[in-house]
């Protein structure tokens, strides 16, 4: 494929249409596929049918939509990162705030075919990462730039077996793009073309590229009682085989000089490269219960099988690069509620706890995140029968994440990261 991936000493691979390492789910997974769901911290995501965004939450839920509808919106993330207690073999700054603000769009369409079949289509971002440190960041030899995006298109069918039971299935077409960079230590004495010597400055390794891969999703929905709904949804693991090239800038390499013999020189090199990576499967189990005509309660548990993201091996003709990720499977827990004030207004709130899949001993400067609490508020406004506008606000508070990296060639870097984020969302649903 020769829009490249360019390997390096990286520590991630995955992501979304626009993203941040303070994404609203563990590591670099994104939750921002629905603003109506965001208002309850995504509690009841697989069992609550608000609008066409159920295409992602649980494709079986399309069966409980009585009319065709389109839902589209955007989530806007404003992350903040402070770096404390930094030390390392390199000198440099630790300014933090290396994650820019980003917008994450999504859109869905649901069309009833008959009383038992529904068709749906979704476009969304399941993973994402951006970290952009200053050029003299003290931990730059372990990574100073990461930008990965995954965009997904999901056509889906649901079958309604009865008023109580439905099922759905969809395939996912996923496109991943990324650019990753890190500095390499300078300080070596090199021979210049005129025969003089000098001390080489920092070098740089940059990689970028893309790939395409297929996955699938399925869901079940069961209403044993009129006011209670259970939902189970699954999003499959997706395997990527990225191919491209790696560029090594200002690298010290041996050169066979016709007069001086073998001497160290500074050179820039590039080569083809390849990388295989798997992004995790997700299980989502949730329940929604209507207490009365006003109040609805939701709860959910999500398991993310991050253990598939265990190692990165970048193969190229210049240098083999390996990095252990050693992620572990993680859990997310959420509870929420909604209050229907009248036919026009509904108000939402929720709280969630999200385990980080990153082990303390394997945390990197590319994804320096820890466990997090998520607090959300939201509202839905239906000014006319066929139109609903949803808004939501989320505050993410992450526990302090300790980081310690060591490498014989790159030295060492230790720091404590304190991360938080504000998330704003807006979406519109039109029914016809």
């Amino acid at each position: 494929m020769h829009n490249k991936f360019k390997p390096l000493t990286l520590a991630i691979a995955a992501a979304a249409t626009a993203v941040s390492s303070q994404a609203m789910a563990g590591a670099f997974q994104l939750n921002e596929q629905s603003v109506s769901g965001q208002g309850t911290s995504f509690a009841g995501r697989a069992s609550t049918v608000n609008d066409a965004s159920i295409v992602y939450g649980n494709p079986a839920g399309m069966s409980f939509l009585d009319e065709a509808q389109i839902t589209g919106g955007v989530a806007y993330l404003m992350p903040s990162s402070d770096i404390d207690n930094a030390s390392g073999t390199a000198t440099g700054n630790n300014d933090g705030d290396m994650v820019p603000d980003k917008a994450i769009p999504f859109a869905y369409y649901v069309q009833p075919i008959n009383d038992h079949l529904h068709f749906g289509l979704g476009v969304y971002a399941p993973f994402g990462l951006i970290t952009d440190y200053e050029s003299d960041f003290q931990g730059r030899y372990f990574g100073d730039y990461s930008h990965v995006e995954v965009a997904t298109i999901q056509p889906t069918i649901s079958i309604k077996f009865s008023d109580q039971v439905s099922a759905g299935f969809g395939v996912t077409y996923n496109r991943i793009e990324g650019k990753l960079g890190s500095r390499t230590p300078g300080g070596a004495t090199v021979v210049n073309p005129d025969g003089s010597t000098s001390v080489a400055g920092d070098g740089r390794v940059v990689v970028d590229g893309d790939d395409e891969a297929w996955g699938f999703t399925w869901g079940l929905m069961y209403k044993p009682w009129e006011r209670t709904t259970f939902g189970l949804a699954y999003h499959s693991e997706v395997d990527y085989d990225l191919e491209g090239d790696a560029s090594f800038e200002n690298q010290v390499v041996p050169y066979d000089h016709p007069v001086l013999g073998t001497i160290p020189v500074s050179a820039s090199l590039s080569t083809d490269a390849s990388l295989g990576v798997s992004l995790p499967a997700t299980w989502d189990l949730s329940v929604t219960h209507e207490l009365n005509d006003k109040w609805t309660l939701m709860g959910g548990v999500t398991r993310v099988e991050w253990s598939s993201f265990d190692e990165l091996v970048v193969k190229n003709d210049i240098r083999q690069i390996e990095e252990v990720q050693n992620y572990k499977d993680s859990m997310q827990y959420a509870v929420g509620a909604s209050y229907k004030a009248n036919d026009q207004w509904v108000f939402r709130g929720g709280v969630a706890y999200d385990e980080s899949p990153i082990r303390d001993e394997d945390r990197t400067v590319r994804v320096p995140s820890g466990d997090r609490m998520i607090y959300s508020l939201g509202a839905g406004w239906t000014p006319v029968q066929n139109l609903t506008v949803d808004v939501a606000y989320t505050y993410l508070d992450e526990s302090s994440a300790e980081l310690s990296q060591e490498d014989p060639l790159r030295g060492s870097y230790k720091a404590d990261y304190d991360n938080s984020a504000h998330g704003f969302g807006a979406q519109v649903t039109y029914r016809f």
Side-chain angles (χ1 to χ4, degrees), residues 10 16 48 70 79 95 153 158 161 166 180 191 262 273 297 299 326 339 357 364 376 390:
L10 28 72
T48 305
I70 296 175
D95 292 341
I153 300 174
S158 72
F161 298 102
S166 66
L180 304 170
V191 179
T262 301
L297 303 179
N326 199 26
Y339 175 73
T364 74
S376 300
D390 292 287

PDB file of all heavy atoms in Angstrom, residues 10 16 48 70 79 95 153 158 161 166 180 191 262 273 297 299 326 339 357 364 376 390:
ATOM      1  N   LEU A  10       7.293   3.150  18.597  1.00  0.00           N
ATOM      2  CA  LEU A  10       6.004   3.681  18.985  1.00  0.00           C
ATOM      3  C   LEU A  10       5.399   2.911  20.118  1.00  0.00           C
ATOM      4  O   LEU A  10       5.911   1.945  20.568  1.00  0.00           O
ATOM      5  CB  LEU A  10       5.055   3.675  17.815  1.00  0.00           C
ATOM      6  CG  LEU A  10       5.241   2.652  16.726  1.00  0.00           C
ATOM      7  CD1 LEU A  10       4.858   1.302  17.158  1.00  0.00           C
ATOM      8  CD2 LEU A  10       4.497   3.084  15.538  1.00  0.00           C
ATOM      9  N   ALA A  16      -8.909   7.491  15.579  1.00  0.00           N
ATOM     10  CA  ALA A  16     -10.161   7.943  15.147  1.00  0.00           C
ATOM     11  C   ALA A  16     -10.119   9.117  14.254  1.00  0.00           C
ATOM     12  O   ALA A  16      -9.112   9.648  13.949  1.00  0.00           O
ATOM     13  CB  ALA A  16     -10.948   8.293  16.355  1.00  0.00           C
ATOM     14  N   THR A  48     -30.806   1.211  25.565  1.00  0.00           N
ATOM     15  CA  THR A  48     -31.624   2.413  25.491  1.00  0.00           C
ATOM     16  C   THR A  48     -31.730   2.875  24.051  1.00  0.00           C
ATOM     17  O   THR A  48     -30.717   3.182  23.413  1.00  0.00           O
ATOM     18  CB  THR A  48     -31.031   3.545  26.348  1.00  0.00           C
ATOM     19  OG1 THR A  48     -30.854   3.080  27.690  1.00  0.00           O
ATOM     20  CG2 THR A  48     -31.953   4.754  26.355  1.00  0.00           C
ATOM     21  N   ILE A  70     -32.570  10.091  10.748  1.00  0.00           N
ATOM     22  CA  ILE A  70     -31.157  10.417  10.580  1.00  0.00           C
ATOM     23  C   ILE A  70     -30.688  11.126  11.841  1.00  0.00           C
ATOM     24  O   ILE A  70     -31.354  12.043  12.331  1.00  0.00           O
ATOM     25  CB  ILE A  70     -30.925  11.322   9.350  1.00  0.00           C
ATOM     26  CG1 ILE A  70     -31.309  10.591   8.063  1.00  0.00           C
ATOM     27  CG2 ILE A  70     -29.469  11.761   9.282  1.00  0.00           C
ATOM     28  CD1 ILE A  70     -31.230  11.467   6.830  1.00  0.00           C
ATOM     29  N   PRO A  79      -8.895  18.580  26.247  1.00  0.00           N
ATOM     30  CA  PRO A  79      -8.088  17.906  27.267  1.00  0.00           C
ATOM     31  C   PRO A  79      -7.062  18.837  27.907  1.00  0.00           C
ATOM     32  O   PRO A  79      -6.687  19.869  27.358  1.00  0.00           O
ATOM     33  CB  PRO A  79      -7.406  16.792  26.480  1.00  0.00           C
ATOM     34  CG  PRO A  79      -7.295  17.347  25.106  1.00  0.00           C
ATOM     35  CD  PRO A  79      -8.497  18.226  24.886  1.00  0.00           C
ATOM     36  N   ASP A  95       6.323  20.840  29.555  1.00  0.00           N
ATOM     37  CA  ASP A  95       5.225  21.796  29.614  1.00  0.00           C
ATOM     38  C   ASP A  95       3.862  21.133  29.752  1.00  0.00           C
ATOM     39  O   ASP A  95       2.925  21.719  30.272  1.00  0.00           O
ATOM     40  CB  ASP A  95       5.220  22.694  28.364  1.00  0.00           C
ATOM     41  CG  ASP A  95       6.428  23.620  28.325  1.00  0.00           C
ATOM     42  OD1 ASP A  95       7.049  23.817  29.396  1.00  0.00           O
ATOM     43  OD2 ASP A  95       6.763  24.109  27.239  1.00  0.00           O
ATOM     44  N   ILE A 153     -17.183   2.633   8.811  1.00  0.00           N
ATOM     45  CA  ILE A 153     -18.499   2.641   8.154  1.00  0.00           C
ATOM     46  C   ILE A 153     -19.162   1.306   8.456  1.00  0.00           C
ATOM     47  O   ILE A 153     -18.560   0.245   8.255  1.00  0.00           O
ATOM     48  CB  ILE A 153     -18.378   2.849   6.635  1.00  0.00           C
ATOM     49  CG1 ILE A 153     -17.686   4.185   6.330  1.00  0.00           C
ATOM     50  CG2 ILE A 153     -19.749   2.798   5.974  1.00  0.00           C
ATOM     51  CD1 ILE A 153     -17.403   4.397   4.850  1.00  0.00           C
ATOM     52  N   SER A 158     -31.316  -5.395  11.249  1.00  0.00           N
ATOM     53  CA  SER A 158     -31.897  -5.942  12.475  1.00  0.00           C
ATOM     54  C   SER A 158     -33.155  -6.732  12.145  1.00  0.00           C
ATOM     55  O   SER A 158     -33.843  -6.452  11.153  1.00  0.00           O
ATOM     56  CB  SER A 158     -32.234  -4.833  13.473  1.00  0.00           C
ATOM     57  OG  SER A 158     -33.352  -4.083  13.043  1.00  0.00           O
ATOM     58  N   PHE A 161     -38.082 -10.381  16.162  1.00  0.00           N
ATOM     59  CA  PHE A 161     -38.756 -11.664  16.257  1.00  0.00           C
ATOM     60  C   PHE A 161     -40.116 -11.540  16.934  1.00  0.00           C
ATOM     61  O   PHE A 161     -41.035 -12.294  16.639  1.00  0.00           O
ATOM     62  CB  PHE A 161     -37.884 -12.663  17.019  1.00  0.00           C
ATOM     63  CG  PHE A 161     -36.577 -12.957  16.343  1.00  0.00           C
ATOM     64  CD1 PHE A 161     -35.408 -12.369  16.799  1.00  0.00           C
ATOM     65  CD2 PHE A 161     -36.513 -13.793  15.245  1.00  0.00           C
ATOM     66  CE1 PHE A 161     -34.191 -12.634  16.187  1.00  0.00           C
ATOM     67  CE2 PHE A 161     -35.303 -14.067  14.619  1.00  0.00           C
ATOM     68  CZ  PHE A 161     -34.141 -13.478  15.089  1.00  0.00           C
ATOM     69  N   SER A 166     -35.271  -8.972  19.708  1.00  0.00           N
ATOM     70  CA  SER A 166     -34.733  -8.582  18.408  1.00  0.00           C
ATOM     71  C   SER A 166     -33.242  -8.873  18.367  1.00  0.00           C
ATOM     72  O   SER A 166     -32.585  -9.043  19.403  1.00  0.00           O
ATOM     73  CB  SER A 166     -34.978  -7.094  18.135  1.00  0.00           C
ATOM     74  OG  SER A 166     -34.246  -6.303  19.053  1.00  0.00           O
ATOM     75  N   LEU A 180       3.674   8.936  13.358  1.00  0.00           N
ATOM     76  CA  LEU A 180       4.326   8.842  14.654  1.00  0.00           C
ATOM     77  C   LEU A 180       5.762   9.335  14.537  1.00  0.00           C
ATOM     78  O   LEU A 180       6.431   9.082  13.539  1.00  0.00           O
ATOM     79  CB  LEU A 180       4.325   7.390  15.149  1.00  0.00           C
ATOM     80  CG  LEU A 180       2.950   6.716  15.242  1.00  0.00           C
ATOM     81  CD1 LEU A 180       3.121   5.229  15.515  1.00  0.00           C
ATOM     82  CD2 LEU A 180       2.116   7.369  16.309  1.00  0.00           C
ATOM     83  N   VAL A 191      32.285  12.885  11.016  1.00  0.00           N
ATOM     84  CA  VAL A 191      33.201  13.505  10.066  1.00  0.00           C
ATOM     85  C   VAL A 191      32.393  14.197   8.983  1.00  0.00           C
ATOM     86  O   VAL A 191      31.511  13.585   8.362  1.00  0.00           O
ATOM     87  CB  VAL A 191      34.145  12.455   9.453  1.00  0.00           C
ATOM     88  CG1 VAL A 191      35.080  13.108   8.439  1.00  0.00           C
ATOM     89  CG2 VAL A 191      34.943  11.761  10.550  1.00  0.00           C
ATOM     90  N   THR A 262      36.775   3.551   7.327  1.00  0.00           N
ATOM     91  CA  THR A 262      35.421   3.584   7.885  1.00  0.00           C
ATOM     92  C   THR A 262      35.324   4.711   8.908  1.00  0.00           C
ATOM     93  O   THR A 262      36.055   4.718   9.908  1.00  0.00           O
ATOM     94  CB  THR A 262      35.069   2.255   8.547  1.00  0.00           C
ATOM     95  OG1 THR A 262      35.170   1.204   7.568  1.00  0.00           O
ATOM     96  CG2 THR A 262      33.648   2.282   9.100  1.00  0.00           C
ATOM     97  N   ALA A 273       8.706  -0.500   5.259  1.00  0.00           N
ATOM     98  CA  ALA A 273       8.504  -1.049   6.600  1.00  0.00           C
ATOM     99  C   ALA A 273       7.106  -1.630   6.699  1.00  0.00           C
ATOM    100  O   ALA A 273       6.224  -1.319   5.896  1.00  0.00           O
ATOM    101  CB  ALA A 273       8.719   0.026   7.653  1.00  0.00           C
ATOM    102  N   LEU A 297     -34.064   4.686  34.484  1.00  0.00           N
ATOM    103  CA  LEU A 297     -32.737   4.366  35.016  1.00  0.00           C
ATOM    104  C   LEU A 297     -31.993   3.464  34.047  1.00  0.00           C
ATOM    105  O   LEU A 297     -32.589   2.609  33.392  1.00  0.00           O
ATOM    106  CB  LEU A 297     -32.856   3.665  36.373  1.00  0.00           C
ATOM    107  CG  LEU A 297     -33.624   4.406  37.474  1.00  0.00           C
ATOM    108  CD1 LEU A 297     -33.653   3.559  38.743  1.00  0.00           C
ATOM    109  CD2 LEU A 297     -32.998   5.768  37.748  1.00  0.00           C
ATOM    110  N   GLY A 299     -28.062   1.252  33.425  1.00  0.00           N
ATOM    111  CA  GLY A 299     -26.786   0.778  33.924  1.00  0.00           C
ATOM    112  C   GLY A 299     -26.090  -0.047  32.866  1.00  0.00           C
ATOM    113  O   GLY A 299     -26.749  -0.616  31.987  1.00  0.00           O
ATOM    114  N   ASN A 326       1.820  -4.836  26.239  1.00  0.00           N
ATOM    115  CA  ASN A 326       1.385  -5.618  27.395  1.00  0.00           C
ATOM    116  C   ASN A 326       0.103  -5.069  28.020  1.00  0.00           C
ATOM    117  O   ASN A 326      -0.052  -5.048  29.241  1.00  0.00           O
ATOM    118  CB  ASN A 326       2.496  -5.676  28.441  1.00  0.00           C
ATOM    119  CG  ASN A 326       2.304  -6.810  29.421  1.00  0.00           C
ATOM    120  OD1 ASN A 326       1.679  -7.820  29.104  1.00  0.00           O
ATOM    121  ND2 ASN A 326       2.826  -6.640  30.632  1.00  0.00           N
ATOM    122  N   TYR A 339     -34.899  12.156  32.960  1.00  0.00           N
ATOM    123  CA  TYR A 339     -36.164  12.673  33.481  1.00  0.00           C
ATOM    124  C   TYR A 339     -36.894  13.381  32.343  1.00  0.00           C
ATOM    125  O   TYR A 339     -36.374  14.342  31.761  1.00  0.00           O
ATOM    126  CB  TYR A 339     -35.922  13.644  34.627  1.00  0.00           C
ATOM    127  CG  TYR A 339     -37.180  14.310  35.134  1.00  0.00           C
ATOM    128  CD1 TYR A 339     -38.116  13.597  35.883  1.00  0.00           C
ATOM    129  CD2 TYR A 339     -37.437  15.644  34.841  1.00  0.00           C
ATOM    130  CE1 TYR A 339     -39.277  14.204  36.340  1.00  0.00           C
ATOM    131  CE2 TYR A 339     -38.598  16.263  35.291  1.00  0.00           C
ATOM    132  CZ  TYR A 339     -39.517  15.537  36.044  1.00  0.00           C
ATOM    133  OH  TYR A 339     -40.670  16.143  36.479  1.00  0.00           O
ATOM    134  N   PRO A 357      -6.339   0.089  30.614  1.00  0.00           N
ATOM    135  CA  PRO A 357      -5.712  -1.198  30.292  1.00  0.00           C
ATOM    136  C   PRO A 357      -4.189  -1.160  30.384  1.00  0.00           C
ATOM    137  O   PRO A 357      -3.534  -2.175  30.169  1.00  0.00           O
ATOM    138  CB  PRO A 357      -6.158  -1.423  28.847  1.00  0.00           C
ATOM    139  CG  PRO A 357      -6.235  -0.040  28.287  1.00  0.00           C
ATOM    140  CD  PRO A 357      -6.751   0.824  29.409  1.00  0.00           C
ATOM    141  N   THR A 364       3.639   4.643  28.548  1.00  0.00           N
ATOM    142  CA  THR A 364       4.547   5.378  27.675  1.00  0.00           C
ATOM    143  C   THR A 364       4.112   6.834  27.535  1.00  0.00           C
ATOM    144  O   THR A 364       2.982   7.197  27.871  1.00  0.00           O
ATOM    145  CB  THR A 364       4.585   4.755  26.272  1.00  0.00           C
ATOM    146  OG1 THR A 364       3.362   5.072  25.583  1.00  0.00           O
ATOM    147  CG2 THR A 364       4.747   3.242  26.334  1.00  0.00           C
ATOM    148  N   SER A 376     -21.338  13.241  33.624  1.00  0.00           N
ATOM    149  CA  SER A 376     -22.014  13.813  32.457  1.00  0.00           C
ATOM    150  C   SER A 376     -23.388  14.363  32.798  1.00  0.00           C
ATOM    151  O   SER A 376     -24.077  13.857  33.689  1.00  0.00           O
ATOM    152  CB  SER A 376     -22.168  12.753  31.355  1.00  0.00           C
ATOM    153  OG  SER A 376     -20.927  12.262  30.926  1.00  0.00           O
ATOM    154  N   ASP A 390     -30.097  17.254  20.800  1.00  0.00           N
ATOM    155  CA  ASP A 390     -29.499  16.781  22.044  1.00  0.00           C
ATOM    156  C   ASP A 390     -28.183  17.503  22.292  1.00  0.00           C
ATOM    157  O   ASP A 390     -27.393  17.733  21.356  1.00  0.00           O
ATOM    158  CB  ASP A 390     -29.229  15.278  21.986  1.00  0.00           C
ATOM    159  CG  ASP A 390     -30.502  14.458  21.960  1.00  0.00           C
ATOM    160  OD1 ASP A 390     -31.159  14.369  23.008  1.00  0.00           O
ATOM    161  OD2 ASP A 390     -30.831  13.914  20.893  1.00  0.00           O
TER     162      ASP A 390
END
